[in-house]
Amino acid sequence: MTAFAALMAFQRETEALAQIAGRLGWDQETVMPEGAAEQRGEEMAAIEGVLHARRTDPRVGDWLDAAEAPDPAGARALELIGRAYRRNAAVPARLASEFARVTSLAQGIWAEARARDDVAHFLPTLEKVVALSREKGHALAAAGFGAGDAYDALLDDYEPEATAQGIAAMFDRMRPRLVDLREAVLGAANPPAPLTGQFAEARQIGLARDLATAFGYDWNRGRLDLAVHPFSSGSGNDARITTRVVETDPFNCFYSTIHEVGHATYELGIDAAHFLTPLGQGVSMGVHESQSRIYENQIGRCRAFTGWLHGQMHAVFGGLSVGSAEEFYRTVNRVSAGFIRTEADEVHYNLHIMMRFDLERALFGGGLEVADLEDAWNTRFARDFGVAVDRPAHGVLQDVHWSVGLFGYFPTYALGNVYAGCLHAALRADLPDLDAALASGDARPATDWLREKVQRHGGLYRPAEVIARACGSAPSEEPLLDYLEAKFRAIYGL
Amino acid sequence: MTAFAALMAFQRETEALAQIAGRLGWDQETVMPEGAAEQRGEEMAAIEGVLHARRTDPRVGDWLDAAEAPDPAGARALELIGRAYRRNAAVPARLASEFARVTSLAQGIWAEARARDDVAHFLPTLEKVVALSREKGHALAAAGFGAGDAYDALLDDYEPEATAQGIAAMFDRMRPRLVDLREAVLGAANPPAPLTGQFAEARQIGLARDLATAFGYDWNRGRLDLAVHPFSSGSGNDARITTRVVETDPFNCFYSTIHEVGHATYELGIDAAHFLTPLGQGVSMGVHESQSRIYENQIGRCRAFTGWLHGQMHAVFGGLSVGSAEEFYRTVNRVSAGFIRTEADEVHYNLHIMMRFDLERALFGGGLEVADLEDAWNTRFARDFGVAVDRPAHGVLQDVHWSVGLFGYFPTYALGNVYAGCLHAALRADLPDLDAALASGDARPATDWLREKVQRHGGLYRPAEVIARACGSAPSEEPLLDYLEAKFRAIYGL
């Protein structure tokens, strides 16, 4: 057996074990009995230990040194395995283990602090997480990741080859146009009415299933369950989605479902030949988010598709508080200032991200200390959103990310929106009749286009490259901003 | 760290990984999307590979040589680890891997053959499985298991320290009394009527949940789902059950549920200090089956409990085809000759087992060849049950066990019934008022007694020892036969 074949066989087992760890996570968030939590922690630690040992196995280094790729896909697989191996090798075992230990406890402490609106309860833990994350970033930077920059070295794990400098420059170009749009929309006369009423859980779930079907979600290789925080899980031939139900807010369920269908359909759309190889998963968090976002927003919230959804809701729930399809479209896209990122509309969402990005960069070399983070958050929020944060759970404590050491992750959400903007422009140019299908509740032509242009490649091309290949030009924020301005100026009669 | 501590820490991770493999099996049989089957096979192979490597890790042998147990539980843990290690070491890697490969394919081929009633389709595969099983039995016997006997060496995996000779002698004592009882019952005038009607799935599941609650099933550490073949899964703080629904036969759902509650409650009832140690699971298949059988039969089908169930069924389903509680009790315990082991009543069940036990012993040194197995089955069935097998799916193809190489497993079902008979006699002697609780739908006093006497010990004592400690005397078939004769002679007015 050649070194390449030996490495790929070893890696295939590792990928299969990683799928198992992911499946355990799904189980934990959907069906696990409550009393099993502590034992599950020990089970997860055991499988993570196995994965860590395989990912840092010295034989991988030897095989990498000796392996010759038979084709471009093989070369890319070697590149991805080598990158992951060097990242793992760059972080000392002591630091990796301490990072795992502290962040696993930190998530629970953060949840307690958020429930009690008690920043002080979380601060000592967050101090530790930030210190360990800085140490990890510096260790990776010393090994050459992120071109020697600690924050970029962390960001590189989620969006390879992106840099904070590039993202900051892009955000600087985006912010004025988003702020202008936001102010114009919030000042407009005759805003859309919110949807009111009670929407029974079983009917919401039934329609959520229809929505997933409308986007071509493959039920033979997936399933829908309830979870407190919706997520998708799994790669290859088993990519499951979750949603949640709020009886007064069916859009929460519906658009969470469509969002997760985007993620899961990306995984399911990858060429089967890549399954259980390093190319068998979405290539980056940003590209992943581009799929969930284009499904949720550019397609799911467009006039043609909401027209169909309006009819479905009428049929399922009877009379709605919003009468006409046009008014329903405006209601779905209603813009309102709010504290919470995950509830933000398309106009506000990226502003939430920009703020987090600047704060975490300030924590990494910008002179901001954890003790001052809440003040920095509140000051910035008041400036960007025009309102004072009313309680920490609506402010600095709202997101789980920092508690588990996910620094460098937030900007990938905005990158996903930018990529979605590019893809949407190209999609509409290629499929001029898409609205006719969407108006009849069929979004599969969009899925087919995205599968062909993006999804099937999995990890074969680099993130920016896969978007550029799909769109015919390098990623840019312009299509997203043009789309947002056109859409919301029309909705708000500006 | 002492060798004992190092071994126990290593073993604890192995047990946690084994729980994960079990959870994947649960997922596969309950919630997994169909299209994920092939990928799941690869995932299962990966985790089984990890488990096999750990179970045969030479360090375990070194630790076993050096370890000193601090207490009797530690000594028993060393004994169980040593036994498993020596069993794994006794089977050559080539044979273990070939056995795994052939049996994993054989199950599918068996299922096809059964669906098509095509014995010839299965025979070449069964030849291989039997040949590999014989080879495995001889390898284990050569290492001293089963006192040098190949069949006993296989049996020893499911019921340590049981011997085919001892079981055969016991079956010889049981058979005449069971045959006499069977003939008397089938010849009786005025047999009970079967239950007829349609019983909606949701209501069956609702009452199944109530039944599990009645036996004290801990919903905080378990759950109930549907499966094609009901099973229980998991140890420690996560032991789940499954059931199935046939709309014309609610007893199928109800008694499958109670049976699986018996298995799961055994696991959940083990002292928490034993969880994720070698003592943290039921000690043998026979003792496990004793718990499921006493729940299902001696308690679940007794007059007091069926009286309560009759009232519940009236409340849930409205009028029943069986009017009085007494007639309902007779219907629940209706005896009828049938081809299928899993559908057999208490009078017939052990006769099915005895036949399989004799056939598989004949395959292991008794001169029976696979090519003649169907004839042997049909001849024996006609003799024991007085009817000719009408199709292979009702005969030699009905059970999955042999296809997956489970030789030596069948007799543990009858041992479980024998143990249940012993435990039931002791339970009734200790709790003279049990019927009053059962008549009000509360079987928890029985669970409490079984937990205290049997369940909490997990693997601490040897199988026959745990029964003897609970009952005050060595296991014997007498209590079971006395119980069956008294119960069914009364029901059938003999």
Side-chain angles (χ1 to χ4, degrees), chain A residues 157-471:
Chain A
D157 203 22
Y158 313 113
E159 199 67 18
E161 290 160 62
T163 65
Q165 199 179 8
I167 291 170
M170 187 179 75
F171 284 177
D172 284 344
R173 297 190 297 274
M174 292 170 72
R175 189 179 293 104
R177 284 173 67 178
L178 288 174
V179 167
D180 283 354
L181 177 60
R182 174 184 174 277
E183 286 176 2
V185 161
L186 291 181
N190 189 26
L195 185 71
T196 58
Q198 285 282 329
F199 304 85
E201 172 166 326
R203 292 180 183 186
Q204 286 198 38
I205 294 171
L207 189 40
R209 296 183 66 89
D210 292 344
L211 284 163
T213 303
F215 280 87
Y217 181 58
D218 184 352
W219 292 106
N220 185 46
R221 298 187 290 150
R223 53 180 286 128
L224 172 68
D225 295 272
L226 291 176
V228 176
H229 302 287
F231 63 98
S232 71
S233 166
S235 300
N237 281 318
D238 192 347
R240 306 177 186 184
I241 57 173
T242 59
T243 189
R244 69 179 147 204
V245 171
V246 179
E247 293 225 328
T248 53
D249 180 11
F251 295 147
N252 194 318
C253 172
F254 299 157
Y255 286 97
S256 291
T257 301
I258 298 174
H259 183 97
E260 301 308 335
V261 164
H263 284 302
T265 297
Y266 183 9
E267 294 293 330
L268 294 169
I270 295 172
D271 281 348
H274 297 328
F275 287 170
L276 296 183
T277 80
L279 312 189
Q281 295 180 43
V283 69
S284 73
M285 295 299 125
V287 176
H288 237 298
E289 196 72 5
S290 78
Q291 302 303 291
S292 58
R293 285 287 167 176
I294 194 173
Y295 277 60
E296 178 188 353
N297 290 330
Q298 279 89 349
I299 303 171
R301 289 189 164 98
C302 80
R303 182 182 274 108
F305 193 75
T306 61
W308 174 77
L309 178 59
H310 179 246
Q312 297 301 302
M313 286 190 67
H314 255 295
V316 169
F317 299 108
L320 300 176
S321 70
V322 176
S324 73
E326 182 62 22
E327 195 50 36
F328 183 82
Y329 166 62
R330 296 185 72 227
T331 291
V332 167
N333 288 289
R334 191 163 166 270
V335 174
S336 62
F339 297 115
I340 307 296
R341 173 185 61 84
T342 58
E343 298 170 2
D345 54 69
E346 286 183 83
V347 174
H348 281 98
Y349 192 89
N350 293 306
L351 293 169
H352 286 277
I353 297 302
M354 292 172 186
M355 178 180 139
R356 285 159 180 74
F357 172 70
D358 289 342
L359 290 173
E360 61 183 30
R361 281 183 83 204
L363 285 171
F364 280 77
L368 179 61
E369 288 309 321
V370 171
D372 304 318
L373 185 59
E374 185 184 13
D375 275 352
W377 179 291
N378 291 345
T379 304
R380 173 70 181 265
F381 193 86
R383 201 182 79 204
D384 280 12
F385 292 82
V387 259
V389 170
D390 62 345
R391 41 186 281 209
H394 290 170
V396 70
L397 290 181
Q398 76 179 261
D399 295 307
V400 69
H401 300 61
W402 289 338
S403 78
V404 290
L406 285 178
F407 292 95
Y409 191 107
F410 276 123
T412 69
Y413 290 125
L415 274 178
N417 287 327
V418 165
Y419 293 159
C422 301
L423 292 168
H424 184 239
L427 166 71
R428 289 287 182 174
D430 276 6
L431 300 181
D433 299 329
L434 180 60
D435 272 344
L438 296 179
S440 68
D442 183 6
R444 289 172 304 174
T447 288
D448 291 344
W449 188 92
L450 288 164
R451 181 181 302 119
E452 174 63 25
K453 297 286 186 176
V454 176
Q455 296 171 357
R456 71 184 173 92
H457 300 307
L460 187 58
Y461 304 114
R462 292 177 185 75
E465 188 183 358
V466 75
I467 301 300
R469 291 175 68 102
C471 303

Side-chain angles (χ1 to χ4, degrees), chain B residues 45-107:
Chain B
I47 186 102
E48 290 297 344
V50 169
L51 283 167
H52 182 76
R54 293 182 72 95
R55 286 170 177 156
T56 55
D57 192 314
R59 287 176 297 170
V60 173
D62 297 341
W63 283 321
L64 280 167
D65 289 341
E68 287 174 33
D71 54 25
R76 175 68 170 154
L78 286 182
E79 179 185 330
L80 290 171
I81 297 170
R83 193 171 157 275
Y85 183 72
R86 284 183 291 106
R87 281 190 76 89
N88 280 314
V91 179
R94 188 239 358 119
L95 175 57
S97 140
E98 182 70 359
F99 191 88
R101 194 186 66 76
V102 168
T103 53
S104 98
L105 294 171
Q107 190 172 357

Side-chain angles (χ1 to χ4, degrees), chain A residues 12-17 19-20 23-24 26-27 30-40 42-47 50 54 219-223 225 235-240 275-276, chain B residues 12-17 19-20 23-24 26-27 30-40 42-47 50 54 219-223 225 235-240 275-276:
Chain A
R12 196 169 176 91
E13 280 185 7
T14 306
E15 302 277 348
L17 293 166
Q19 286 298 309
I20 291 173
R23 189 70 57 230
L24 274 190
W26 174 87
D27 186 276
T30 55
V31 294
M32 186 183 79
E34 266 189 42
E38 194 177 324
Q39 178 172 323
R40 176 58 56 89
E42 207 164 333
E43 293 168 13
M44 283 297 286
I47 187 103
V50 169
R54 293 181 71 95
W219 292 106
N220 185 46
R221 298 187 290 150
R223 53 180 286 128
D225 295 272
S235 300
N237 281 318
D238 192 347
R240 306 177 186 184
F275 287 170
L276 296 183
Chain B
R12 195 169 178 91
E13 280 184 7
T14 307
E15 302 279 348
L17 293 165
Q19 286 299 309
I20 292 173
R23 190 69 58 229
L24 274 190
W26 173 88
D27 185 276
T30 55
V31 295
M32 186 184 80
E34 266 187 42
E38 195 177 323
Q39 177 171 323
R40 175 58 55 89
E42 208 163 332
E43 292 169 12
M44 282 298 285
I47 186 102
V50 169
R54 293 182 72 95
W219 293 106
N220 186 45
R221 299 186 292 150
R223 52 179 288 130
D225 294 272
S235 300
N237 282 318
D238 192 346
R240 307 177 185 185
F275 288 170
L276 296 184

Side-chain angles (χ1 to χ4, degrees), chain B residues 391-474:
Chain B
R391 42 186 282 210
H394 290 168
V396 70
L397 290 182
Q398 74 180 261
D399 295 308
V400 69
H401 300 61
W402 291 338
S403 77
V404 290
L406 285 178
F407 292 95
Y409 192 107
F410 277 123
T412 70
Y413 290 126
L415 275 179
N417 287 327
V418 166
Y419 293 160
C422 301
L423 292 170
H424 183 238
L427 167 71
R428 289 287 183 174
D430 276 5
L431 301 181
D433 299 330
L434 180 60
D435 273 345
L438 297 179
S440 67
D442 182 6
R444 287 171 304 171
T447 288
D448 291 343
W449 189 91
L450 288 164
R451 181 181 302 119
E452 174 63 24
K453 297 285 186 176
V454 176
Q455 295 170 357
R456 69 185 173 91
H457 301 307
L460 187 59
Y461 304 114
R462 291 178 185 74
E465 188 184 358
V466 76
I467 301 299
R469 290 176 67 102
C471 304
S473 57

